[in-house]
């Protein structure tokens, strides 16, 4: 065996092992599973490797199949020194040069026969059409052309083994390696499979190495190599191999067509299965476990739905506040009295009444950037009409108030400056007051008692809804400020509760605020170091502050909702780890037939990402639905910002990557030998 070979003999060698040793550590001792094995197998040979359990024949098979590497010695496969290959190179060698036939068939469950057969071609980057054509022809060659769409559970043991043989042949390998190919078959099916292997070897020139412990099976080979204690103890030529029983007949024309297709060259450079195929494999795997996939995606789904719903609630609340704030009027400034000193402590804004009608007139006269100015007196009062009564907010002001608040009459005519000068007991009422006192009749022209005075309703006001501070704008009675002072309450020296001012445009609001402030400082001077006796509030500043608070609240809500996303991500990782454990043998099969670590990593990572993405998309849809329902119930204008929708799906995919990487990496780094042994 150790003699040098002529060039012609070397070219004819399929495999050549020289003084191969494989040593395993067992505690402090070392065990030699192979001890100086040398073996040559030439093209077209049918070699049976036999030996008892523990003899080293399985280790030898793993070495020949590039599943393991020698501790020392060399191994050449079709001229390549594979003993020096790394894991990736050995995977490619398995993919190109070796076809595996396993004792337990090792077909992918719930996968059709043709899909099982074309699997090795995925890892060579063969296109779909060629991949399918070669797989169908390989099934024709083993007599299973009528069962291409059957899953392993729908096939007999013999048919499953023939699918495994077709899978081994589909890449037109230099070597067919069979590990106890009849170990799980009955005697009749054993003969059929052996007959097929003999036919492939004898008629089609397939090089076959078969590992078995059964003498009857080994007798079908043309050469029998016996292994004992890690050494080859005999290598005998079998001049008259035993002829196995009948195989399933395949006519010569079909066989020739099949062999012509299978003999077509494969891509010289390994292209890998690519992202499209990885996605397809991931989708197939998930569809075969629909319930588990649905439950796994549920955590992501709930998290994304919660995030989207909370975002919509926050946006709806902001929109309502903006609408309500706008109901106060455009470009609005509100001038309030300042806080006073009482008992050594400063009171809140408005605790000291210091503004007057004259201040309002001065603002209107001397600040050019304002358009309307309205002094305001306000008090709560009981209103009565007939046998109906209510408590409401009564405001005394001037006609400019309607311009400041952008408030029109829905019926009747708003009172004017003449009514103010004459202190006429007239009023305009909001929609809430109208419904409380005059629900079934026209309120215009009717009388009502406001506090101690009787007023005539001259107009009903258009509805405005709630204010940004939760008050009902429509729960209001507006009357001339002079009439208010005569019949409701009077402050001394023409004082008012506030002055409402409208700037000429949004561009000059801050200039108007500055002008009003400077004017009132001249009219209400204070000693150095003291605070002003008034406050000029800009509605846009109030809105800005409110929006900041709402944004903070929205962030808190999103953070709380995101916790469920984190839990969902952990659930994905947990299920994927379980899946890797359950599918260990499948991973071993894929590695044995040519998959590289990156292929396994990509497939399992894509499964995790797909789970998370599906959960994200469905969660996004549910979030939109929940937002719509909540909007209908709360009357909020729910909107989901496009950025939230986009980032929700992006985040869910990111979670799939983050939480799927550990299981995928674990799957990719499984040892194929250990994985194949896993039950």
């Amino acid at each position: 065996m150790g003699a040098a070979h002529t060039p012609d003999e070397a070219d004819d060698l399929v495999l050549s092992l020289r003084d191969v040793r494989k040593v395993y550590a067992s505690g402090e001792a070392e065990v030699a599973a192979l001890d100086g094995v040398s073996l040559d197998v030439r093209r077209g040979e049918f070699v049976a490797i036999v030996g008892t359990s523990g003899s080293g024949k399985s280790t030898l098979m793993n070495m020949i199949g590039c599943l393991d590497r020698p501790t020392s010695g060399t191994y050449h496969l079709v001229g390549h020194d594979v003993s020096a290959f790394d894991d990736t190179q050995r995977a490619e060698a398995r993919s190109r040069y070796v076809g595996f036939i396993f004792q337990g068939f090792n077909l992918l469950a719930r996968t059709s026969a043709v899909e099982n057969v074309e699997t090795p071609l995925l890892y060579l980057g063969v296109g779909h059409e060629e991949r399918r054509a070669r797989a169908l022809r390989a099934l024709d060659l083993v007599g299973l052309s009528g069962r291409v769409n059957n899953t392993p559970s729908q096939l007999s043991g013999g048919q499953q083994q023939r699918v495994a043989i077709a899978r081994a042949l589909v890449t037109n390998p230099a070597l067919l390696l069979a590990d106890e190919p009849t170990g799980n078959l009955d005697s009749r099916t054993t003969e059929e499979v052996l007959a097929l292997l003999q036919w492939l070897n004898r008629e089609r020139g397939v090089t076959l190495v078969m590992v078995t412990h059964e003498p009857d099976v080994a007798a079908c080979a043309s050469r029998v190599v016996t292994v004992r204690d890690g050494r080859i103890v005999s290598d005998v030529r079998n001049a008259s191999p035993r002829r196995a029983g009948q195989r399933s007949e395949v006519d010569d024309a079909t066989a020739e067509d099949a062999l012509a297709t299978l003999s077509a060259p494969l891509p010289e450079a390994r292209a890998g299965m690519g992202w499209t195929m990885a996605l397809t494999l991931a989708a197939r795997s998930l569809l075969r476990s629909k319930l588990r996939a649905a439950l796994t995606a549920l955590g992501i789904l709930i998290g994304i739905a919660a995030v989207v719903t909370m975002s919509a609630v926050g946006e709806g609340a902001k929109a309502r506040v903006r609408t309500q704030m706008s109901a106060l009027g455009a470009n609005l400034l509100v001038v309030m009295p300042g806080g006073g000193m009482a008992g050594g402590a400063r009171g809140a804004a408005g605790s000291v009444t210091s503004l007057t009608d004259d201040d309002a007139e001065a603002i209107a006269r001397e600040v050019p950037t304002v358009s309307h100015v309205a002094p305001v007196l306000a008090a709560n009062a009981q209103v009565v009409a007939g046998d109906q009564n209510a408590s409401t907010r009564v405001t005394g002001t001037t006609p400019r108030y309607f311009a400041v608040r952008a408030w029109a009459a829905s019926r009747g005519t708003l009172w004017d400056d003449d009514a103010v000068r004459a202190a006429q007991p007239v009023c305009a009422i909001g929609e809430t007051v109208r419904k409380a006192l005059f629900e079934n009749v026209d309120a215009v022209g009717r009388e009502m008692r406001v506090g101690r005075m009787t007023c005539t309703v001259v107009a009903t006001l258009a509805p405005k809804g709630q204010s940004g501070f939760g008050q009902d704008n429509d729960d209001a009675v507006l009357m001339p400020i002079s009439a208010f002072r005569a019949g409701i309450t009077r402050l001394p020296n023409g004082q008012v509760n506030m002055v409402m001012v409208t700037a000429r445009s949004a561009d000059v609001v801050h200039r108007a605020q500055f002008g009003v402030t400077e004017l009132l400082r001249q009219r209400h001077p204070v000693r150095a170091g003291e605070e002003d006796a008034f406050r000029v509030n800009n509605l846009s500043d109030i809105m800005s502050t409110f929006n900041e608070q709402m944004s903070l609240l929205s962030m808190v809500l999103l953070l709380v909702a995101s916790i469920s996303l984190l839990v969902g991500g952990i659930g994905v990782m947990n299920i994927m780890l379980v899946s890797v454990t359950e599918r260990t043998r499948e991973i071993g099969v894929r590695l044995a037939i040519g998959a590289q670590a990156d292929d396994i990593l990509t497939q399992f990572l894509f499964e995790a990402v797909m789970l998370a993405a599906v959960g994200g998309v469905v969660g996004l849809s549910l979030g939109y639905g929940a937002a719509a329902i909540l909007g209908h119930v709360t009357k909020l204008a729910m909107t989901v910002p496009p950025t939230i929708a986009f980032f929700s799906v992006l985040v869910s995919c990111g979670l799939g990557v983050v939480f799927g990487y550990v299981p995928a990496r674990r799957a990719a780094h499984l040892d194929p030998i250990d994985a194949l042994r896993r039950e």
Side-chain angles (χ1 to χ4, degrees), residues 433-446:
V433 176
R434 185 198 68 77
K435 289 180 179 179
L437 302 183
F438 307 103
E439 184 173 8
N440 298 317
V441 296
D442 186 357
V444 176
R446 294 184 177 273

Side-chain angles (χ1 to χ4, degrees), residues 230-286:
R231 295 186 179 92
I232 294 178
V233 296
S234 70
D235 186 348
V236 179
R237 298 283 176 180
N238 187 0
S240 301
R242 181 178 72 82
R243 296 295 295 266
Q246 294 293 319
R247 68 177 181 87
S248 299
E249 291 298 329
V250 177
D251 62 74
D252 290 340
T254 299
E256 291 300 328
D257 288 345
L259 288 169
T261 300
L262 296 176
S263 297
L266 292 168
E268 291 185 6
R270 181 186 184 277
M273 64 177 176
W275 285 31
T276 303
M277 198 61 234
L279 281 171
T280 302
L281 288 180
R284 287 177 184 172
S285 177
L286 295 179

Side-chain angles (χ1 to χ4, degrees), residues 320-334 336 372 374 376 395 400-408 462-474 476 478 498-503 537-543 546:
R320 171 172 284 186
V321 169
R322 283 193 292 268
T323 301
Q324 293 166 349
M325 285 291 190
S326 67
L328 294 175
N331 312 322
L332 182 65
L333 301 174
V334 179
M336 299 285 293
H372 301 290
V376 175
T395 300
R400 261 68 63 192
Y401 182 86
F402 299 114
V404 169
R405 294 289 309 277
W407 212 342
K464 269 191 174 288
Q466 276 194 329
S467 73
F469 308 101
Q471 296 174 332
D472 184 0
N473 279 309
D474 300 318
L478 276 64
M498 72 177 72
V499 177
M500 302 185 75
V501 180
T502 303
N537 298 315
N538 181 347
L539 189 63
S540 63
D541 290 340
I542 297 173
M543 274 293 296
F546 188 85

Side-chain angles (χ1 to χ4, degrees), residues 523-644:
R523 295 178 60 85
H524 300 273
V526 295
R527 289 192 295 270
E530 291 188 355
E531 294 183 4
D532 292 328
F534 58 88
R535 296 282 187 276
V536 182
N537 298 315
N538 181 347
L539 189 63
S540 63
D541 290 340
I542 297 173
M543 274 293 296
S544 178
T545 301
F546 188 85
N547 281 335
E548 289 178 5
Q549 294 173 343
M550 285 299 299
S551 295
L552 180 61
L553 178 61
S554 296
M555 287 180 63
V556 172
L557 291 174
L558 287 175
L559 181 61
V560 172
S562 297
I563 293 174
S564 60
L565 260 183
L566 179 63
V567 173
I570 294 172
V572 169
M573 181 168 65
N574 182 50
I575 294 299
M576 289 304 299
L577 284 171
V578 172
S579 179
V580 169
T581 301
E582 291 183 349
R583 295 163 61 188
T584 297
R585 193 172 182 87
E586 173 198 331
I587 296 167
V589 172
R590 290 186 181 277
L591 290 170
I593 62 178
Q596 295 184 7
D598 286 347
D599 297 322
I600 302 298
L601 177 70
T602 302
Q603 178 183 341
F604 276 81
L605 194 57
F606 274 26
E607 286 186 27
V609 172
M610 191 172 290
L611 276 174
V614 169
V617 171
V618 176
L620 183 62
S621 302
L622 289 180
Y624 271 100
I629 294 171
L630 283 174
H632 178 74
V633 172
T634 62
K635 308 303 180 185
L636 287 175
M638 298 286 197
T639 57
V640 179
T643 52
I644 290 292

Side-chain angles (χ1 to χ4, degrees), residues 294-307:
L295 292 175
T296 305
L298 187 60
I300 299 290
L301 183 155
I302 293 172
I304 292 295
V307 168

Side-chain angles (χ1 to χ4, degrees), residues 14-15 41 64 75 77 97-100 173-177 207-209:
V14 174
L15 66 92
V41 175
I64 292 172
Y75 171 34
L77 178 64
Y97 306 130
V98 182
F100 279 91
L175 172 66
L176 207 60
L177 185 58
T207 305
L208 243 164
V209 173

